Amino acid sequence: MRVDPFRACAILAVFMAAGFFPGATAPASAALDDDGPRPFNEAADAMADVDAALARAGARGTRALLVLGGDWCHDSRGLAAKFETPELAALIGENYELVFVDVGHRDRNLDVARRFGVGDLLGTPTVLIVSAEGALLNADSVHGWRDAASKSLEETTAYFRAYAR
């Protein structure tokens, strides 16, 4: 019988977290799942937040940056953490109106994605860059952030700089 090493590690991590092996610690990858900001608010009125961001973008001559994800998602939190770094925070603050939209497990606030022509969320986070007039500017790459935590800060910064006003 062949043992799947990923499944074995996951099972081991569950047992360790449950305290079945006193003195043992969970692997570093399990600890990462608890790190990072948690900016997604399931109680927020997502569409109202998007409307407000578009209004601010129009007034400032910037764009709306909509990050559709969830606090449960390592990559959603990883992208949010990158947004807190000084260089990227300045770039985002100068050029975008940022809104974090909680989409649950891709079962909540999906009307936000549909509003801008994105029918299905293939994963989280899904990133929409929208003009103040409501045009989706990054249609070809909205789904390219499902591995956001693994992308370098330089790659992430270059992407958002390319779409800046």
Side-chain angles (χ1 to χ4, degrees):
M1 177 172 100
R2 185 175 183 280
V3 175
D4 179 354
F6 295 107
R7 181 173 284 180
C9 287
I11 292 169
L12 179 61
V14 168
F15 279 107
M16 289 168 62
F20 284 102
F21 303 112
T25 58
S29 61
L32 288 176
D33 286 345
D34 290 333
D35 291 345
R38 296 181 183 274
F40 299 92
N41 180 358
E42 69 181 63
D45 183 341
M47 198 62 79
D49 291 347
V50 169
D51 289 339
L54 290 171
R56 289 189 310 271
R60 290 184 54 214
T62 60
R63 297 179 168 168
L65 172 54
L66 314 178
V67 179
L68 287 63
D71 284 342
W72 61 269
C73 174
H74 173 75
D75 287 296
S76 294
R77 289 192 325 274
L79 183 57
K82 284 180 175 63
F83 287 167
E84 293 179 352
T85 62
E87 181 182 3
L88 200 48
L91 176 71
I92 299 297
E94 290 173 19
N95 297 284
Y96 297 96
E97 293 297 328
L98 176 61
V99 179
F100 291 100
V101 177
D102 186 292
V103 294
H105 289 275
R106 295 181 290 160
D107 59 359
R108 180 182 10 231
N109 293 318
L110 302 180
D111 54 335
V112 171
R114 285 191 297 269
R115 174 178 176 177
F116 300 104
V118 178
D120 294 318
L121 298 186
L122 303 182
T124 55
T126 298
V127 174
L128 309 180
I129 298 175
V130 182
S131 72
E133 297 77 28
L136 181 62
L137 303 174
N138 66 328
D140 61 334
S141 59
V142 296
H143 300 295
W145 290 93
R146 294 176 288 169
D147 63 347
S150 300
K151 291 185 186 294
S152 71
L153 181 59
E154 293 77 20
E155 179 183 6
T156 302
T157 303
Y159 179 86
F160 291 104
R161 184 174 289 121
Y163 283 99
R165 60 183 157 114

